Amino acid sequence: MKHSYRYNILFMMVLMVIINYIDRGAISYASEQIIAEFGFNAIAWGAVLGYFGYGYLFGALFGGALADKKGPKFVWIIIGLGWSIFVMATAFAGEIGIALFGGSALFGFAFIRILFGFFEGPTFSTINKTVANWATPRERGFAVSLGLLGTPLGAMLTAPVAVFLLSVTSWKVMFLILAALGLIWVIIWTKMFTNLPEEHPKVSKEELEKIRSQSDLLPDEQLVKAEEKSDIRWFHFFKNPTLVFNAIGYFAFQYINFLLLTWTPKYLQDEFGFQLSSLWYLGMIPWIGACFTVLLGGKLSDYLRMKTGSLRIARSGLAVVSLLLTAGCFMLIPSANSIAGVMVLMTIGNAFNSLPNSVYWSVIIDTEPSKAGTFGGITHFITNTATIIAPTLTGFLVISYGYSSMFTAAAVASVIGMVAMLFVKPGKRKPKNIAVV
């Protein structure tokens, strides 16, 4: 459509996040084959799943700053090529470890998964920079949620895609096929994306006016907009309680998200005896509700923003209620007596967890749009300590206390996030604390 080219950009970002999540989650469905081949125990396997997070942390940090400095298109091309290469290399991770790291397959997986995580790390901070450049103020929450739709959708599709590929070929060939999909996306993206809508010939004058309109800005947003050209230093992030507490709130989301993505297949196999052939549909179930609530949350946040005139209600208020309901669902899972009860609670809890997903990124744009990439990267760095903590801690908890403990830990993470979001005041800034150069 002539006046909505920005939605083509958002659609491609959704597709990219789906590919990302299938790439990072597929290894969980190959767990039995990889464990059998290399002899990992539960703690070692938890470490394999957690290595991804070490690279992801630093990729998020540097990628966001690079998106602000060089523009998001440059970052998209670099990271798209990088993650595809290391998805491909995952097929040979064990052999690389045996050949290069003293005969240790575990070290090989550590090396490849860390580098793979590094190149996937900038994804969401670069999405945030892209949304800040391309979305209109009134649709910002929904635009962010569209970009984030790929999170539950990709996690949901990981199960059928991975199980199908594993049923027709080996786990190594599966990773080669997934790498090819990433490379195809990069080629298409480079031909259709520009850093700014002003640079794209398919963006009409009418659409550009909508994107750059300031008529719908709330008072808090007008203050931010007036100061947007200030050259804010990176460490201002840590002087702003809203940004710090928002990152802690987002940690709670990511803890549950990555816990379910990495440990659900093995949990279902160990606790209920399901075979790989059953996981293609069981692995999808926890993500079904989240696919709807991630979009609903963006729409609901934008609605509350216009209805109440309060960013705090629209952003942090929505997150507080959602995280409280999330904690309640996961706290109840250990007392469920059947697989049906477990799956229902897991699905509802994950749906509530995803409802405010767009909020965490919208808060950054609301508060400091000129640093959406840099501050998005710092937020993601803090948040994605969960990609290490969740799978690694779960390995220890499962061995020490059984699988019920991993759900209790998820509930605790949600409560921590809920408390943090009580202190989030989007758009509020204190000029006297702003360091400029």
Side-chain angles (χ1 to χ4, degrees):
M1 292 176 62
K2 184 177 179 181
H3 301 312
S4 58
Y5 185 80
R6 65 191 182 279
Y7 292 115
N8 296 337
I9 299 300
L10 293 173
F11 170 78
M12 282 297 289
M13 288 196 298
V14 172
L15 183 59
M16 177 271 301
V17 178
I18 290 172
I19 293 171
N20 265 208
Y21 262 76
I22 294 174
D23 286 350
R24 70 180 71 172
I27 193 170
S28 300
Y29 290 87
S31 60
E32 285 201 342
Q33 296 180 34
I34 297 174
I35 288 171
E37 185 169 339
F38 297 106
F40 300 138
N41 60 23
I43 292 177
W45 184 244
V48 168
L49 298 175
Y51 287 134
F52 170 89
Y54 291 98
Y56 199 72
L57 287 174
F58 291 97
L61 186 64
F62 295 117
L66 194 60
D68 280 334
K69 185 174 182 179
K70 302 283 287 186
K73 184 170 184 176
F74 174 80
V75 179
W76 285 127
I77 293 172
I78 297 299
I79 66 175
L81 292 173
W83 84 58
S84 298
I85 289 169
F86 287 103
V87 168
M88 188 181 304
T90 304
F92 312 104
E95 287 78 4
I96 290 171
I98 291 169
L100 300 180
F101 299 105
S104 173
L106 185 61
F107 271 69
F109 276 96
F111 178 70
I112 298 301
R113 291 285 289 177
I114 288 171
L115 290 174
F116 168 53
F118 180 82
F119 283 100
E120 283 214 347
T123 299
F124 289 101
S125 51
T126 310
I127 284 177
N128 218 36
K129 182 65 176 180
T130 302
V131 169
N133 287 354
W134 279 80
T136 69
R138 69 181 304 152
E139 67 186 9
R140 188 173 287 161
F142 183 64
V144 172
S145 70
L146 271 178
L148 297 173
L149 173 62
T151 298
L153 195 56
M156 184 179 74
L157 292 176
T158 299
V161 170
V163 171
F164 169 75
L165 291 175
L166 289 169
S167 66
V168 298
T169 187
S170 69
W171 68 271
K172 294 183 178 182
V173 174
M174 174 184 73
F175 282 111
L176 298 179
I177 294 171
L178 295 177
L181 292 177
L183 291 172
I184 292 170
W185 179 87
V186 172
I187 292 170
I188 296 173
W189 182 250
T190 55
K191 295 181 180 297
M192 66 177 292
F193 179 71
T194 57
N195 287 323
L196 297 169
E198 287 88 345
E199 300 170 353
H200 206 293
K202 291 188 178 180
V203 176
S204 67
K205 181 180 178 181
E206 293 82 2
E207 183 177 15
L208 186 58
E209 288 176 354
K210 288 182 182 179
I211 294 171
R212 298 298 176 230
S213 172
Q214 299 184 32
S215 61
D216 293 321
L217 294 177
L218 300 178
D220 287 342
E221 295 170 318
Q222 290 172 352
L223 174 61
V224 170
K225 190 70 179 177
E227 299 175 356
E228 188 175 345
K229 292 184 180 179
S230 298
D231 193 1
I232 308 299
R233 293 178 184 267
W234 66 269
F235 55 78
H236 172 65
F237 179 96
F238 297 99
K239 293 184 176 183
N240 192 321
T242 284
L243 296 173
V244 174
F245 283 115
N246 181 63
I248 296 171
Y250 197 19
F251 170 92
F253 162 82
Q254 189 68 300
Y255 186 97
I256 290 174
N257 180 67
F258 214 70
L259 170 69
L260 296 182
L261 184 69
T262 55
W263 274 96
T264 297
K266 188 156 177 56
Y267 164 71
L268 294 174
Q269 288 174 315
D270 292 351
E271 288 291 283
F272 297 99
F274 288 106
Q275 300 300 311
L276 180 65
S277 59
S278 301
L279 294 181
W280 75 267
Y281 64 90
L282 285 172
M284 294 175 67
I285 292 173
W287 303 96
I288 293 173
C291 291
F292 295 97
T293 55
V294 70
L295 289 178
L296 175 63
K299 277 289 189 184
L300 182 57
S301 183
D302 284 341
Y303 170 79
L304 290 171
R305 170 186 172 275
M306 296 302 296
K307 190 72 174 176
T308 67
S310 170
L311 283 173
R312 194 172 188 187
I313 293 174
R315 309 302 194 211
S316 44
L318 177 61
V320 167
V321 174
S322 300
L323 288 167
L324 176 62
L325 295 170
T326 302
C329 289
F330 279 90
M331 189 64 74
L332 290 172
I333 289 178
S335 63
N337 315 341
S338 64
I339 180 62
V342 167
M343 297 305 287
V344 167
L345 287 169
M346 196 184 293
T347 302
I348 296 174
N350 197 30
F352 281 129
N353 187 50
S354 291
L355 188 66
N357 193 357
S358 63
V359 162
Y360 309 111
W361 292 103
S362 296
V363 165
I364 302 167
I365 301 176
D366 294 333
T367 306
E368 193 52 76
S370 67
K371 288 292 183 180
T374 300
F375 288 173
I378 297 172
T379 299
H380 223 201
F381 180 90
I382 296 169
T383 296
N384 284 293
T385 56
T387 64
I388 300 169
I389 295 170
T392 307
L393 176 62
T394 300
F396 286 98
L397 289 175
V398 167
I399 284 183
S400 302
Y401 306 104
Y403 276 105
S404 63
S405 61
M406 80 177 188
F407 298 113
T408 302
V412 170
S414 290
V415 171
I416 293 171
M418 179 193 71
V419 172
M421 293 306 291
L422 289 170
F423 297 96
V424 171
K425 299 178 182 179
K428 298 287 187 183
R429 297 172 63 186
K430 296 180 180 180
K432 65 181 181 179
N433 288 335
I434 295 176
V436 296
V437 292

